[in-house]
């Protein structure tokens, strides 16, 4: 899947979540609430990384890790969309800066 397709898919899923939230809570989540959800996902990811290090083993570790990484990516794409960040361009620019900094060392 290409990056733009990923952004579009994340946007579509976010739109569906907003409908569910409006029905359940009378409004959709704010960007702050999306960020809090992302923090929870990062915490779950940290536990799975510990599992890969042997600290928190579980039978479905590889599948759970892949799922949580995808959840985190969805949150990043959703937050970038909410703040009108061209994530592909920002990523390319940041990688260029890091490459330049590493070349100086």
């Amino acid at each position: 899947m290409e990056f733009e397709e990923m952004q579009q898919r994340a946007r579509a899923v976010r739109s569906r979540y907003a409908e569910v939230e409006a029905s359940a809570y009378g409004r959709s989540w704010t960007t702050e609430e999306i960020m809090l959800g992302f923090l929870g996902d990062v915490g779950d990811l940290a536990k799975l990384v510990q599992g890969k290090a042997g600290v928190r083993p579980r039978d479905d570790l590889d599948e759970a890790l892949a799922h949580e990484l995808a959840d985190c990516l969805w949150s990043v794409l959703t937050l970038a969309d909410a703040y009108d960040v061209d994530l592909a361009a920002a990523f390319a620019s940041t990688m260029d800066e890091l490459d330049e900094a590493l070349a100086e060392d």
Side-chain angles (χ1 to χ4, degrees), residues 38-86:
F38 177 37
L39 288 173
D41 288 339
V42 169
D44 292 341
L45 178 60
K47 292 173 189 171
L48 294 168
V49 168
Q50 286 182 313
K52 291 298 280 185
V55 177
R56 291 176 176 252
R58 56 188 273 184
D59 292 335
D60 66 340
L61 185 57
D62 290 337
E63 296 84 9
L65 179 64
H67 174 86
E68 210 55 55
L69 284 166
D71 272 351
C72 288
L73 179 57
W74 176 82
S75 293
V76 169
L77 291 168
T78 298
L79 288 166
D81 195 49
Y83 291 111
D84 294 320
V85 172
D86 181 343

Coordinates of all heavy atoms in Angstrom, one line a residue, residues 38-86:
F38 N -3.5 7.4 21.6 CA -2.2 7.1 21.1 C -1.2 6.8 22.2 O -0.5 5.8 22.1 CB -1.7 8.3 20.2 CG -0.3 8.1 19.6 CD1 0.1 6.8 19.2 CD2 0.5 9.2 19.5 CE1 1.4 6.7 18.6 CE2 1.8 9.0 18.9 CZ 2.2 7.8 18.4
L39 N -1.2 7.5 23.3 CA -0.4 7.3 24.4 C -0.6 5.9 25.0 O 0.3 5.1 25.4 CB -0.5 8.3 25.5 CG 0.1 9.7 25.2 CD1 -0.2 10.7 26.2 CD2 1.6 9.6 25.0
G40 N -1.9 5.5 25.1 CA -2.3 4.2 25.5 C -1.7 3.1 24.6 O -1.2 2.1 25.1
D41 N -1.8 3.4 23.3 CA -1.3 2.4 22.3 C 0.2 2.3 22.4 O 0.8 1.2 22.3 CB -1.6 2.8 20.9 CG -3.1 2.6 20.6 OD1 -3.8 1.8 21.3 OD2 -3.6 3.3 19.6
V42 N 0.9 3.4 22.7 CA 2.4 3.4 22.9 C 2.7 2.5 24.1 O 3.7 1.8 24.1 CB 3.0 4.8 22.9 CG1 4.4 4.8 23.3 CG2 2.8 5.5 21.5
G43 N 1.9 2.7 25.2 CA 2.2 1.9 26.4 C 2.0 0.4 26.1 O 2.8 -0.4 26.5
D44 N 1.0 0.1 25.3 CA 0.8 -1.3 24.9 C 1.9 -1.8 24.0 O 2.4 -3.0 24.2 CB -0.6 -1.5 24.1 CG -1.8 -1.3 25.0 OD1 -1.7 -1.3 26.2 OD2 -2.9 -1.0 24.4
L45 N 2.4 -1.0 23.2 CA 3.5 -1.3 22.3 C 4.8 -1.6 23.2 O 5.5 -2.5 22.9 CB 3.8 -0.2 21.3 CG 5.0 -0.4 20.4 CD1 4.9 -1.6 19.5 CD2 5.1 0.9 19.5
A46 N 5.0 -0.7 24.2 CA 6.1 -0.9 25.1 C 6.1 -2.3 25.7 O 7.1 -3.0 25.9 CB 6.2 0.2 26.1
K47 N 4.9 -2.7 26.1 CA 4.8 -4.0 26.8 C 5.1 -5.2 25.8 O 5.8 -6.2 26.1 CB 3.4 -4.2 27.3 CG 3.1 -3.3 28.5 CD 1.6 -3.5 28.9 CE 1.3 -2.4 29.9 NZ -0.2 -2.4 30.1
L48 N 4.7 -5.0 24.5 CA 5.0 -6.0 23.5 C 6.5 -6.0 23.2 O 7.1 -7.1 22.9 CB 4.2 -5.7 22.3 CG 2.7 -5.9 22.5 CD1 1.9 -5.4 21.3 CD2 2.4 -7.4 22.7
V49 N 7.2 -4.9 23.2 CA 8.6 -4.8 23.0 C 9.3 -5.5 24.1 O 10.3 -6.3 23.9 CB 9.1 -3.3 22.8 CG1 10.6 -3.3 22.9 CG2 8.6 -2.7 21.5
Q50 N 8.8 -5.4 25.3 CA 9.3 -6.2 26.4 C 9.2 -7.7 26.2 O 10.0 -8.5 26.5 CB 8.7 -5.8 27.7 CG 9.1 -4.4 28.3 CD 8.4 -4.2 29.6 OE1 7.2 -4.4 29.7 NE2 9.2 -3.7 30.6
G51 N 8.0 -8.0 25.6 CA 7.8 -9.4 25.3 C 8.8 -9.9 24.3 O 9.3 -11.1 24.5
K52 N 9.1 -9.1 23.3 CA 10.1 -9.6 22.3 C 11.5 -9.8 23.0 O 12.3 -10.5 22.6 CB 10.2 -8.6 21.2 CG 9.0 -8.5 20.3 CD 8.8 -9.8 19.6 CE 9.7 -10.0 18.4 NZ 9.4 -11.3 17.6
A53 N 11.7 -9.0 24.1 CA 13.0 -9.2 24.9 C 12.9 -10.3 25.9 O 13.8 -10.5 26.6 CB 13.3 -7.9 25.6
G54 N 11.7 -11.0 25.9 CA 11.6 -12.1 26.9 C 11.0 -11.8 28.2 O 10.9 -12.7 29.1
V55 N 10.7 -10.5 28.4 CA 10.2 -10.1 29.7 C 8.7 -10.3 29.9 O 8.3 -10.7 31.0 CB 10.5 -8.6 30.0 CG1 9.9 -8.1 31.3 CG2 12.0 -8.4 29.9
R56 N 7.9 -10.2 28.9 CA 6.5 -10.4 28.9 C 6.1 -11.3 27.8 O 5.4 -10.9 26.8 CB 5.8 -9.0 28.8 CG 5.9 -8.1 29.9 CD 5.2 -6.8 29.6 NE 5.2 -5.9 30.7 CZ 4.2 -5.6 31.4 NH1 3.0 -6.1 31.2 NH2 4.3 -4.7 32.4
P57 N 6.4 -12.6 27.9 CA 6.1 -13.5 26.8 C 4.6 -13.7 26.6 O 3.8 -13.6 27.6 CB 6.8 -14.8 27.1 CG 7.0 -14.7 28.6 CD 7.1 -13.2 29.0
R58 N 4.2 -14.0 25.4 CA 2.8 -14.3 25.1 C 2.7 -15.1 23.8 O 3.6 -15.0 23.0 CB 1.8 -13.2 25.1 CG 2.2 -12.0 24.2 CD 1.3 -10.8 24.3 NE 0.1 -10.9 23.6 CZ -0.8 -9.9 23.5 NH1 -0.6 -8.8 24.2 NH2 -1.9 -10.0 22.8
D59 N 1.7 -15.9 23.6 CA 1.6 -16.8 22.5 C 1.5 -16.1 21.2 O 2.1 -16.5 20.2 CB 0.5 -17.8 22.6 CG 0.7 -18.8 23.8 OD1 1.9 -19.0 24.1 OD2 -0.3 -19.3 24.3
D60 N 0.8 -15.0 21.2 CA 0.5 -14.3 19.9 C 1.4 -13.0 19.8 O 0.9 -12.0 19.2 CB -1.0 -13.9 19.8 CG -1.4 -12.9 20.9 OD1 -0.7 -12.8 21.9 OD2 -2.4 -12.2 20.7
L61 N 2.6 -13.0 20.3 CA 3.4 -11.8 20.4 C 3.7 -11.2 19.0 O 3.5 -9.9 18.9 CB 4.8 -12.2 21.0 CG 5.7 -11.0 21.3 CD1 5.0 -10.0 22.2 CD2 7.0 -11.5 22.0
D62 N 4.0 -11.9 18.0 CA 4.3 -11.3 16.7 C 3.1 -10.6 16.1 O 3.2 -9.5 15.6 CB 4.9 -12.3 15.8 CG 6.3 -12.7 16.2 OD1 7.0 -12.0 16.9 OD2 6.7 -13.8 15.7
E63 N 2.0 -11.3 16.2 CA 0.7 -10.7 15.7 C 0.3 -9.5 16.5 O -0.1 -8.5 15.9 CB -0.4 -11.7 15.7 CG -0.2 -12.9 14.8 CD 0.7 -14.0 15.4 OE1 1.0 -14.0 16.7 OE2 1.1 -14.9 14.7
A64 N 0.4 -9.6 17.8 CA 0.1 -8.4 18.6 C 1.0 -7.2 18.4 O 0.5 -6.1 18.4 CB 0.1 -8.8 20.1
L65 N 2.3 -7.5 18.2 CA 3.2 -6.4 17.9 C 2.9 -5.7 16.6 O 2.9 -4.5 16.5 CB 4.7 -7.0 17.9 CG 5.8 -6.0 17.6 CD1 5.9 -4.9 18.7 CD2 7.1 -6.7 17.5
A66 N 2.6 -6.5 15.6 CA 2.3 -6.0 14.3 C 1.0 -5.1 14.4 O 0.9 -4.0 13.9 CB 2.1 -7.1 13.2
H67 N 0.0 -5.6 15.1 CA -1.3 -4.9 15.3 C -1.0 -3.6 16.0 O -1.5 -2.5 15.6 CB -2.2 -5.8 16.1 CG -3.5 -5.0 16.5 ND1 -4.6 -5.0 15.6 CD2 -3.8 -4.3 17.6 CE1 -5.5 -4.3 16.2 NE2 -5.1 -3.9 17.4
E68 N -0.2 -3.6 17.1 CA 0.0 -2.4 17.9 C 0.8 -1.3 17.1 O 0.6 -0.1 17.2 CB 0.7 -2.7 19.2 CG 0.3 -1.8 20.3 CD -1.2 -1.6 20.5 OE1 -1.9 -2.6 20.8 OE2 -1.7 -0.5 20.5
L69 N 1.8 -1.8 16.3 CA 2.5 -0.9 15.5 C 1.6 -0.2 14.5 O 1.7 1.0 14.2 CB 3.7 -1.6 14.8 CG 4.9 -1.9 15.6 CD1 5.8 -2.9 14.9 CD2 5.7 -0.7 16.0
A70 N 0.7 -1.0 13.9 CA -0.3 -0.4 13.0 C -1.2 0.5 13.7 O -1.6 1.6 13.1 CB -1.1 -1.6 12.3
D71 N -1.7 0.2 14.9 CA -2.5 1.2 15.7 C -1.7 2.5 15.9 O -2.3 3.6 15.7 CB -2.8 0.6 17.1 CG -4.1 -0.2 17.1 OD1 -4.8 -0.3 16.1 OD2 -4.3 -0.9 18.1
C72 N -0.5 2.4 16.2 CA 0.3 3.6 16.5 C 0.5 4.4 15.2 O 0.4 5.6 15.2 CB 1.7 3.3 17.1 SG 1.6 2.7 18.8
L73 N 0.7 3.7 14.1 CA 0.8 4.4 12.8 C -0.5 5.1 12.4 O -0.5 6.2 12.0 CB 1.2 3.4 11.7 CG 1.4 4.0 10.3 CD1 2.4 5.1 10.2 CD2 1.7 2.9 9.3
W74 N -1.6 4.4 12.7 CA -2.9 5.1 12.4 C -3.0 6.3 13.2 O -3.5 7.4 12.7 CB -4.0 4.1 12.7 CG -5.4 4.7 12.6 CD1 -6.1 4.9 11.4 CD2 -6.2 5.3 13.6 NE1 -7.3 5.5 11.7 CE2 -7.3 5.8 13.0 CE3 -6.0 5.5 15.0 CZ2 -8.3 6.5 13.7 CZ3 -7.0 6.1 15.7 CH2 -8.2 6.6 15.1
S75 N -2.6 6.3 14.5 CA -2.7 7.5 15.3 C -1.9 8.6 14.8 O -2.3 9.8 14.7 CB -2.3 7.2 16.8 OG -3.3 6.4 17.4
V76 N -0.7 8.3 14.3 CA 0.2 9.3 13.8 C -0.4 9.9 12.5 O -0.4 11.1 12.3 CB 1.6 8.7 13.5 CG1 2.5 9.7 12.7 CG2 2.3 8.4 14.9
L77 N -0.9 9.1 11.6 CA -1.5 9.5 10.4 C -2.7 10.4 10.7 O -2.9 11.4 10.1 CB -1.9 8.3 9.5 CG -0.8 7.5 8.9 CD1 -1.3 6.2 8.3 CD2 0.0 8.4 7.9
T78 N -3.5 10.0 11.7 CA -4.7 10.8 12.1 C -4.3 12.1 12.7 O -5.0 13.1 12.3 CB -5.5 9.9 13.1 OG1 -6.0 8.7 12.4 CG2 -6.8 10.7 13.6
L79 N -3.3 12.2 13.5 CA -2.9 13.4 14.1 C -2.3 14.4 13.0 O -2.6 15.6 13.0 CB -1.9 13.2 15.2 CG -2.6 12.6 16.5 CD1 -1.5 12.1 17.5 CD2 -3.5 13.7 17.2
A80 N -1.5 13.8 12.1 CA -1.0 14.6 11.0 C -2.1 15.2 10.2 O -2.0 16.4 9.8 CB 0.0 13.7 10.2
D81 N -3.1 14.4 9.9 CA -4.2 14.9 9.1 C -5.0 16.0 9.9 O -5.3 17.0 9.3 CB -5.2 13.7 8.8 CG -6.2 14.0 7.7 OD1 -5.7 14.5 6.7 OD2 -7.4 13.7 7.9
A82 N -5.2 15.8 11.2 CA -5.9 16.8 11.9 C -5.2 18.1 12.0 O -5.8 19.2 12.0 CB -6.1 16.3 13.4
Y83 N -3.9 18.1 11.9 CA -3.1 19.3 12.0 C -2.5 19.7 10.6 O -1.6 20.6 10.6 CB -1.9 19.2 13.0 CG -2.5 19.1 14.4 CD1 -2.4 17.9 15.2 CD2 -3.1 20.2 15.0 CE1 -2.9 17.8 16.4 CE2 -3.6 20.1 16.3 CZ -3.5 19.0 17.0 OH -3.9 18.9 18.3
D84 N -3.0 19.2 9.6 CA -2.6 19.5 8.2 C -1.1 19.4 8.0 O -0.5 20.3 7.3 CB -3.1 20.9 7.8 CG -4.6 21.0 7.7 OD1 -5.3 20.0 7.2 OD2 -5.2 22.0 8.2
V85 N -0.5 18.4 8.5 CA 0.9 18.1 8.3 C 1.1 17.2 7.1 O 0.4 16.1 7.1 CB 1.5 17.5 9.6 CG1 2.9 17.0 9.3 CG2 1.4 18.4 10.7
D86 N 1.9 17.6 6.2 CA 2.2 16.7 5.0 C 3.3 15.8 5.6 O 4.5 16.1 5.6 CB 2.7 17.5 3.9 CG 3.1 16.7 2.7 OD1 3.2 15.5 2.8 OD2 3.2 17.3 1.6

